[in-house]
Amino acid sequence: MPQLLSRLDLSAAIAAPAPRMSNDENRSGNPTGPNTSVITKVKPKTKRPNLYRVLILNDDYTPMEFVVHVLEKFFQKDVEAATKIMLHVHHHGIGECGVFTYEIAETKVTQVMDFARKHQHPLQCVMEKK
């Protein structure tokens, strides 16, 4: 059971001087002065989120123009960059559209896949951890 302080003990505790937070005594050369301490606020270290590559896979049926359109629409590529990625996909079977955090990469993959299905193309888009 906690102890109750009497009014006298309580008023003495309230009236007690607060500890000093500077080291003025140590600078003046008084070795018998009170010990001092410094209070520091610790900031939590944040970790960068994992990144994911969004990739388009080659197939024999999706028109090249459609792939360029997808790259422009969902990955904000200009015609030149989109064409370069599309040709890389065509020649190597896979091409990187961009690198994003997990949620953004997942959203882009879903958007591309839905858009391809809506236009009746078998285009495949996947993501992998970088």
Side-chain angles (χ1 to χ4, degrees):
M1 193 166 200
Q3 287 184 325
L4 297 175
L5 294 174
S6 70
R7 283 184 179 235
L8 184 59
D9 293 337
L10 185 58
S11 62
I14 292 172
R20 295 187 62 180
M21 298 311 293
S22 67
N23 50 3
D24 292 337
E25 292 84 8
N26 291 340
R27 279 192 224 135
S28 64
N30 183 359
T32 61
N35 291 336
T36 60
S37 61
V38 176
I39 297 176
T40 59
K41 186 175 183 179
V42 178
K43 288 187 178 181
K45 296 213 176 193
T46 55
K47 189 175 93 170
R48 290 192 166 259
N50 291 325
L51 296 176
Y52 292 80
R53 298 170 64 205
V54 176
L55 307 167
I56 286 186
L57 307 178
N58 190 39
D59 65 71
D60 294 333
Y61 302 101
T62 304
M64 292 179 175
E65 296 81 16
F66 183 79
V67 175
V68 170
H69 179 67
V70 164
L71 290 165
E72 291 173 330
K73 180 177 177 74
F74 296 105
F75 299 97
Q76 290 70 48
K77 303 294 183 187
D78 59 29
V79 176
E80 186 178 327
T83 302
K84 186 175 179 182
I85 294 169
M86 177 274 299
L87 288 172
H88 187 272
V89 171
H90 182 69
H91 293 293
H92 297 97
I94 193 168
E96 183 179 288
C97 305
V99 178
F100 308 95
T101 60
Y102 180 83
E103 291 81 7
I104 294 172
E106 184 178 44
T107 300
K108 294 211 179 263
V109 167
T110 302
Q111 289 174 331
V112 169
M113 295 293 287
D114 290 346
F115 189 72
R117 297 298 158 265
K118 180 180 173 187
H119 290 87
Q120 299 177 348
H121 294 297
L123 182 67
Q124 293 292 305
C125 185
V126 296
M127 59 189 257
E128 72 175 16
K129 195 171 185 179
K130 187 167 180 178

